[in-house]
């Protein structure tokens, strides 16, 4: 099925921890966001600090439309309790906390990109994997970014999805990601009830 | 707290039933959407057919940014199983079905407007009421549109919210709605745990 | 399909407001709970105060297994912030707030019974209606209890479900409810995507 | 805060993949369930096949109360589309699919036990970690069971929670788990908004 809308690219990665102080990861996040904006895609993140925020700033440099999916119920709670940024063009306040926010975040995105990443990002990866989303991984950006195949194949004993791509360079990564978005249609449903996806899932 | 973003106005109303064939309701829905677009607000609906779709078409006439919150998991499911329109600038596929979609729909909106309305719209009204959202009602648009006070005060024995406004005319209604959005801050949390709202809730 | 499990009956009704001080409603709620326990059904409510709590006390008199579906994330939050009772045999802490709790509450029940009822109960009714659950209404128990047909037919212009029963007397109501649970199979899915229910929905 | 209710122990692990054919894992799952039943705890799982089902059969041998949290909306969907077992004393049909089911599953449990485990179990681990639940890991049961510390410390660069315990032997594991449940109170809320937990989280 042809995409009727602008692509929505969700950027997920470390919002805290040592990963957000790594200058290489910060630089890659910025370039990643710039490219998303420059290519005319819609930029989505979890309205959180850290690397996804750095990417958001990059997207705005190129006037990308930026959407944040917040765990908070309100702007007040978002700013004062979650201590989170709100410079996006639009924030959706789910009021559902981190865990459900992660799910909506992923479902709102035609593809996700992982950069750096601790436990929260690993949660998002497992959701995106199980729901068959196209996934891009910015390798050498710290955290889990170099361990995805190790986690999937060696630890979990599962197969790597065909619609998962990796690259050190955010620009090349987005090239690859645009290709797998086209090549592998999204699953129709979130789970294995109906095997509606012939390709694209490991 | 000052609003940092463009206002997001969610239009909720009949997606099926006799209400969607009422020419007066259709016309009011169209004008409502036009006004939301013209005023530079972000237009949100449930990506459903019927009156909210008519309003979406109005918003697009004025180049309003239009967002649909879909119950479906995917574009395929949205179009082929929910038989729903997808002409929005962006659709968020929640994959959560109607009931949870309704909740996210309301939380995504700074204020909601009700037009016509059967059981589904009544569901959305009860969520918006309990969560203290500013509510506008287009009266004389069929369904529950003339019965809101009756339902709240007589049937439920509750008080009318101060941030609920009504008008026959979508233009005057939006004037009033913009005023109560300014006058009554949103609740901080979705429920009564913390009484964080001094005004605006009945 | 034969029921493989004990029936789960969810009691929903006023947790606050004038309805919870009506001695007739309190008495009916108590008898309702007693009957659920006596008949060996599993008793479910929203772990809230008011009429559903009164019914829970009745179920416990007959050693019914009582389950509460709490909006809170933890026992601490349940007791200290929601100020809610916790005498159930088991409480499920959804951590999802009132609105999503209502949905899970209904889906956890093979049938729901409405007693009294303000805006929150009306929310639960609209969810149960849209999802095709068998519904029992204890009439003359205050609030919306005598207005269900008025709301559905006159205000919303929809049809009354065939699996909705009403009675003044909780004992007779449960007799009727057990019959419609048997007569009308539950929908397979929560929404209208697939028309999997031939009977039982208006 | 003293626990007012029977402990609810959620068993999460491989429902598919090579892990469910490992005789050692199957045997450990069975003993784990037996112990939960024998000790009078409430047994919870995701109403799925595989190792959690094996544990459920063990719990029933000792007349444990067994609860399944199903991703399906209905018994029909549970059996015919998810192809899942339903021998529990009670099944809660969330109708929310795997991802949200996982969240409710964890929140319904006072502590979770991981056995074997692929991507889905890793998802559940990240949720339980982020939400501060007591976690027991049956080591040498395949999948991720021997890699938890590696994942948390080396890959994610986070700290091991103090309320996470491991053992090869399900009996010793439950001894340890009962101790950390007592020693470390549950978080009050699902996220880091309010730092309400002084201990128990890494």
């Amino acid at each position: 099925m042809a995409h009727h809308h602008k692509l929505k690219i969700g950027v997920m990665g470390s919002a805290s921890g040592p990963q957000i102080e790594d200058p290489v990861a910060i630089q890659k996040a910025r370039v990643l966001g710039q490219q998303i904006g420059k290519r005319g895609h819609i930029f989505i993140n979890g309205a959180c600090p850290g690397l996804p925020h750095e990417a958001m700033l990059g997207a705005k440099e190129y006037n990308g439309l930026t959407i944040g999916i917040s765990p908070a119920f309100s702007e007040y709670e978002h700013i004062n309790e979650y201590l989170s940024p709100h410079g996006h063009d639009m924030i959706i306040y789910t009021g559902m906390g981190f865990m459900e926010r992660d799910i909506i975040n992923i479902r709102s995105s035609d593809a996700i990109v992982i950069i750096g990443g601790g436990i929260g990002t690993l949660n998002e990866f497992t959701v995106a994997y199980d729901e068959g989303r196209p996934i891009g991984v910015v390798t050498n950006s710290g955290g889990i970014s170099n361990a995805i195949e190790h986690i999937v194949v060696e630890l979990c004993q599962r197969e790597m999805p065909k619609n998962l791509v990796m690259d050190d360079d955010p620009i090349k990564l987005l090239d690859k990601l645009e290709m797998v978005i086209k090549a592998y249609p999204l699953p129709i449903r979130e789970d294995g009830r109906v095997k509606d996806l012939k390709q694209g899932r490991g």
Side-chain angles (χ1 to χ4, degrees), chain A:
Chain A
M1 162 164 301
H3 277 276
H4 299 277
H5 300 98
K6 286 186 182 183
L7 283 183
K8 296 165 290 179
I9 307 294
V11 174
M12 293 165 206
S14 302
S16 64
Q19 293 94 335
I20 68 169
E21 285 159 31
D22 172 357
V24 174
I26 292 170
Q27 169 64 9
K28 286 182 175 183
R30 178 67 71 133
V31 173
L32 174 65
Q34 289 169 340
Q35 282 293 314
I36 292 170
K38 200 173 176 180
R39 293 171 190 222
H41 304 325
I42 296 175
F43 177 95
I44 292 179
N45 72 8
C48 60
L51 300 179
H53 181 61
E54 200 64 42
M56 193 271 276
L57 297 177
K60 287 195 79 71
E61 286 177 41
Y62 285 84
N63 292 314
L65 177 64
T66 56
I67 316 279
I69 313 287
S70 169
F73 180 75
S74 61
E75 186 175 281
Y76 181 93
E77 193 183 64
H78 182 79
I79 296 171
N80 296 95
E81 302 194 6
Y82 284 95
L83 308 174
S84 287
H86 60 291
H88 305 67
D89 293 294
M90 184 173 90
I91 292 189
I92 288 183
Y93 294 105
T94 63
M96 292 182 171
F98 285 126
M99 295 299 122
E100 293 209 303
R101 187 277 313 267
D102 286 356
I103 297 173
I104 299 173
N105 209 351
I106 287 156
R107 292 187 184 164
S108 299
S109 304
D110 293 310
I112 72 160
V113 179
I114 284 176
I115 183 156
I119 297 282
T121 309
L122 185 55
N123 174 265
E124 292 169 309
F125 171 72
T126 58
V127 173
Y129 179 99
D130 263 357
E131 299 202 342
R133 295 274 144 174
I135 299 171
V137 181
V138 182
T139 41
N140 289 318
S141 60
I144 61 171
S145 69
N146 282 5
I148 296 296
E149 188 161 0
H150 167 57
I151 290 169
V152 172
V153 177
E154 289 171 41
L155 302 184
C156 293
Q157 299 173 261
R158 296 293 185 269
E159 288 177 26
M160 287 292 278
K162 285 178 185 152
N163 55 359
L164 184 155
V165 292
M166 305 190 186
D167 209 289
D168 262 30
D169 176 357
I171 299 176
K172 288 181 188 159
L173 184 71
L174 280 175
D175 290 344
K176 291 179 184 175
L177 198 59
E178 290 169 2
M179 284 176 60
V180 293
I181 291 170
K182 276 185 199 144
Y184 299 106
L186 273 180
I188 292 170
R189 295 185 190 75
E190 71 116 326
D191 53 44
R193 268 180 299 168
V194 179
K195 301 296 179 192
D196 43 38
L197 183 70
K198 295 296 171 290
Q199 304 164 296
R201 203 157 179 182

